[in-house]
Amino acid sequence: MQRIFQYTIPQLNTPISVKAFLKQQGFSGRSLIVLKAQEESVLVNNQPVYINHLMQPGDELEIRLAEEKSSEYVEPVELPLNILYEDEDLMVVNKPAGMPIHPSQNNRDNSLANALAWYFAQQNRPFVFRCINRLDRDTSGLTIIAKNVVSAGILSAMVAAKGGDGICREQDIPSSKTIRREQDIPSSKTIRREYLAIAKGKVTPSFGTINAPIARKEDSIIERIVDFENGEKAVTHYKLLHNKNGHSLISLLLETGRTHQIRVHMKYLGFPLIGDYLYNPDTSRMTRQALHAYKLDLEHPITGQPMSFTAPLPEDMRWML
């Protein structure tokens, strides 16, 4: 499978190398290494060149990125797959609850990666699994798959930038719960991730921000805790949408993306998610954490066009409401 990128070099004060220009377009170091390893992958005015070649205004740059091998560790398995969007650079998939993202020792043939490997195998196309926003096994909803090394690098950088781009700073982290006003929630031109969740009790205050660093719990490889001494910055914005029968439907925006961030932060606030076997082990209402990746807003990694996707609340969460 080949992805071709084409650019016309704009007016510049001085010549620019292919390498420098591609970095300006968001190409990662990994992308440049791949290009260097492929013959005739970089052309200027239809002539093959090296990536240190100097270009002039008006030059036509063409990048030919070839991918021929698939992820060896992912077995193609025919599984339900709900693809909401696909183009040459990315896919957006609505993942069901109960499906892990990656194969593992106990989940070798039931992951999203297995399903996508089957999808591409049926088209006789190579497939390298590059998931950008990983969801827990029992969290449902939207996840982004990059289809080449260039879009993967740009999308990953967009996710990483989110963590250091917000209103809260490391030095602002207090030793207690922090609540910020809803209107202070920052806007972002990167990837905006909105989740819906059902929490135990009536969430109060009805909106705010939880600014509490998260660390791995001692003697556990899975569980996380709020830890103001050793934790990494973690910021979650939330808003109460609906309250009924002792449960709250809440909307959550992630400013950072720590493991189990929403689950840990809601427990810390005193309103754990129902059905959460780790942080609220009561499965009388639901047998999985009531958490759904509801909405994604982003700019296309290559074209820069704004994109927005939503996935309706799954049936088990709708039934609870």
Side-chain angles (χ1 to χ4, degrees):
M1 184 168 63
Q2 187 178 69
R3 174 68 167 99
I4 296 177
F5 304 89
Q6 295 178 319
Y7 307 93
T8 299
I9 307 306
Q11 290 294 325
L12 301 168
N13 293 329
T14 59
I16 187 171
S17 70
V18 172
K19 180 178 180 180
F21 179 81
L22 291 179
K23 283 187 174 182
Q24 290 180 1
Q25 308 311 307
F27 279 57
S28 65
R30 172 61 181 164
S31 301
L32 297 177
I33 290 173
V34 171
L35 289 176
K36 289 169 66 175
Q38 297 180 1
E39 293 185 2
E40 298 191 3
S41 59
V42 180
L43 291 86
V44 173
N45 301 326
N46 294 320
Q47 297 299 315
V49 299
Y50 295 110
I51 64 170
N52 60 354
H53 174 83
L54 292 178
M55 298 183 294
Q56 305 292 333
D59 280 351
E60 299 292 334
L61 172 63
E62 181 172 293
I63 302 299
R64 298 176 180 177
L65 181 68
E67 201 159 67
E68 299 176 355
K69 294 183 179 180
S70 297
S71 297
E72 296 180 359
Y73 67 94
V74 181
E75 176 186 355
V77 181
E78 187 175 9
L79 297 169
L81 190 59
N82 184 4
I83 299 172
L84 302 188
Y85 176 84
E86 180 179 7
D87 62 21
E88 291 183 289
D89 301 299
L90 63 89
M91 304 173 70
V92 177
V93 176
N94 184 10
K95 185 188 82 67
M99 174 181 277
I101 292 287
H102 293 95
S104 63
Q105 184 174 357
N106 297 320
N107 298 282
R108 295 189 182 279
D109 58 3
N110 63 338
S111 71
L112 179 61
N114 297 119
L116 287 167
W118 174 273
Y119 173 77
F120 282 93
Q122 299 312 297
Q123 304 172 52
N124 294 315
R125 298 163 64 192
F127 167 71
V128 177
F129 186 57
R130 302 182 178 98
C131 184
I132 302 302
N133 60 316
R134 297 175 179 85
L135 302 179
D136 296 335
R137 171 180 178 147
D138 288 333
T139 298
S140 56
L142 300 172
T143 188
I144 305 171
I145 308 299
K147 291 180 64 177
N148 57 66
V149 68
V150 175
S151 62
I154 296 172
L155 288 165
S156 295
M158 291 164 68
V159 171
K162 186 71 172 176
D165 211 20
I167 54 175
C168 304
R169 299 290 182 264
E170 296 270 3
Q171 60 266 31
D172 296 332
I173 295 176
S175 58
S176 61
K177 299 179 182 66
T178 297
I179 305 299
R180 288 181 182 259
R181 295 174 58 81
E182 184 185 25
Q183 57 264 36
D184 291 333
I185 294 177
S187 62
S188 173
K189 294 183 179 180
T190 56
I191 297 179
R192 181 180 183 272
R193 295 166 287 170
E194 181 178 351
Y195 290 74
L196 295 177
I198 302 175
K200 181 180 179 180
K202 182 177 181 179
V203 173
T204 54
S206 60
F207 60 81
T209 294
I210 308 166
N211 184 348
I214 292 175
R216 189 190 304 271
K217 185 177 182 181
E218 189 175 355
D219 300 325
S220 175
I221 62 173
I222 300 176
E223 195 170 352
R224 265 63 174 178
I225 58 171
V226 167
D227 185 337
F228 285 94
E229 292 185 2
N230 304 307
E232 294 182 287
K233 176 182 176 181
V235 182
T236 304
H237 309 282
Y238 75 89
K239 180 181 179 180
L240 174 65
L241 300 178
H242 182 66
N243 175 255
K244 187 176 182 181
N245 299 326
H247 295 92
S248 298
L249 175 66
I250 50 177
S251 167
L252 304 112
L253 297 177
L254 293 182
E255 189 171 325
T256 55
R258 306 302 174 199
T259 300
H260 298 176
Q261 179 172 315
I262 289 174
R263 299 162 65 187
V264 173
H265 271 177
M266 291 311 299
K267 178 182 179 180
Y268 172 71
L269 197 64
F271 305 99
L273 304 190
I274 63 171
D276 191 332
Y277 74 97
L278 269 181
Y279 305 106
N280 181 29
D282 178 2
T283 57
S284 60
R285 297 273 182 171
M286 284 186 66
T287 57
R288 61 106 172 181
Q289 68 258 13
L291 183 59
H292 178 65
Y294 164 69
K295 189 175 183 181
L296 281 172
D297 294 303
L298 69 152
E299 292 182 357
H300 192 281
I302 306 303
T303 68
Q305 292 297 311
M307 309 177 77
S308 183
F309 304 95
T310 58
L313 208 61
E315 187 62 32
D316 57 352
M317 291 180 64
R318 291 204 321 159
W319 180 85
M320 276 300 303
L321 299 171

